[in-house]
Amino acid sequence: MTIPETAAGRSARLIALVALAAVAQAAAVENSPRPGGIVLIDAGPVGEDKPAVSFDGDPALLFKQGERWTAAIGIPLSAEPGEVVVMLDDAAVAIDIQPHGYAEQRLTIKNREYVTPNQQQLDRIGRERVIIDNAIDNWRDAELDAIALEAPVSGRRSSSFGLRRFYNDQPRSPHSGMDIAAVEGTPVLAPRAGIVTAVGDFYFNGNTVIVDHGQGLVTMYCHLSAIDVAFGDTVDTGERLGAVGATGRVTGPHLHFGVYLGGNAVDPAILLDE
Ligand SMILES: [Zn+2]
């Protein structure tokens, strides 16, 4: 027996299909050739020899999209608009980096030790910088079928990546990540599988975890109230890394979420669903 479909049933099914299409579209990572963006290049069919793609002499991340290889290259926030060259096997591929106006932010920090650290604090900051830089700029071979990330916490996301910041009128490096507002203690979850390559209580970043996802894709979690992983741990997507807090140089509890590709900070929003 066939049940006649009602108009309401048909439109519900239609809405479900439209919603599915919207999700599929949101999950796709978009080419974003701008400072702090990710350049995606079609690098040929899967099945033949894996292509050799490099930028600035460093290998590019390669992942499979259907039957094609896609190369993903992180463009430094400091890059000038204009042409950059990516090497695809022996061919030079010119990519036009588009200008992008990042906003300016002026903050007053009451705790002056976070604005003008003393020599002892500067020494500590220098030692921590080496640990962080080594974890951020690291190549580890891994097979990747995608580079999209799950949200590490749900919460209001600031679009503050790339903000040019001034603390008490002193210029500081631009904001290298995304701040996600969440109450203290909210679990922070791994946005994809990886290996923990740094944990520590750092001067500016507070309690911090860094996860290496392979091929130069690295994520960083700062200002945590708790750390639930150890150096060298393997984590799966959704596994708890720690909890949101307000440690380090902060004005209130939030997660600072950093994403690095080839050692360059890129806008996390590019890899997250809407
Ligand atoms: Zn931040």
Side-chain angles (χ1 to χ4, degrees):
M1 183 183 123
T2 50
I3 299 164
E5 192 176 35
T6 63
R10 268 198 305 278
S11 68
R13 202 154 50 88
L14 207 67
I15 288 165
L17 278 173
V18 169
L20 207 67
V23 167
Q25 204 170 33
V29 174
E30 279 180 23
N31 184 38
S32 46
R34 57 176 161 89
I38 296 176
V39 166
L40 299 177
I41 297 172
D42 178 73
V46 171
E48 295 171 21
D49 284 347
K50 201 171 176 177
V53 186
S54 65
F55 174 63
D56 259 358
D58 293 324
L61 179 149
L62 279 171
F63 67 104
K64 288 175 199 161
Q65 277 196 313
E67 296 303 306
R68 311 282 299 177
W69 288 110
T70 299
I73 294 140
I75 302 301
L77 204 37
S78 59
E80 296 291 335
E83 200 170 273
V84 296
V85 172
V86 173
M87 292 305 295
L88 173 51
D89 289 325
D90 292 328
V93 180
I95 306 290
D96 198 23
I97 300 302
Q98 306 290 321
H100 190 83
Y102 288 109
E104 194 176 278
Q105 181 191 43
R106 291 178 180 271
L107 282 181
T108 303
I109 307 273
K110 291 206 182 80
N111 186 346
R112 292 189 54 241
E113 289 197 342
Y114 281 122
V115 181
T116 47
N118 64 31
Q119 191 55 51
Q120 197 187 345
Q121 290 158 338
L122 286 172
D123 291 345
R124 177 185 163 187
I125 290 162
R127 286 193 300 273
E128 294 172 354
R129 194 68 252 171
V130 173
I131 296 168
I132 293 167
D133 284 349
N134 284 338
I136 281 171
D137 192 0
N138 183 50
W139 180 268
R140 178 175 66 84
D141 268 327
E143 290 293 317
L144 295 172
D145 285 332
I147 57 171
L149 302 173
E150 303 282 335
V153 297
S154 55
R156 193 177 51 79
R157 300 172 192 165
S158 78
S159 56
S160 61
F161 175 84
L163 255 192
R164 294 172 298 132
R165 301 178 298 183
F166 297 81
Y167 292 141
N168 302 356
D169 290 329
Q170 298 178 32
R172 286 293 178 269
S173 52
H175 191 224
S176 56
M178 166 191 274
D179 291 337
I180 307 177
V183 296
E184 180 141 356
T186 305
V188 174
L189 310 176
R192 54 180 310 117
I195 296 173
V196 177
T197 51
V199 291
D201 173 14
F202 300 136
Y203 188 76
F204 287 124
N205 297 323
N207 289 322
T208 297
V209 172
I210 299 178
V211 180
D212 185 325
H213 304 284
Q215 296 195 52
L217 179 62
V218 173
T219 55
M220 183 183 195
Y221 310 83
C222 302
H223 313 309
L224 303 173
S225 59
I227 293 176
D228 298 321
V229 288
F231 178 85
D233 280 359
T234 298
V235 293
D236 281 327
T237 308
E239 204 168 318
R240 185 176 164 131
L241 302 173
V244 172
T247 55
R249 184 180 64 188
V250 288
T251 51
H254 70 275
L255 176 69
H256 172 95
F257 177 43
V259 176
Y260 297 84
L261 185 53
N264 296 318
V266 294
D267 188 350
I270 298 164
L271 298 181
L272 291 174
D273 278 358
E274 293 302 317

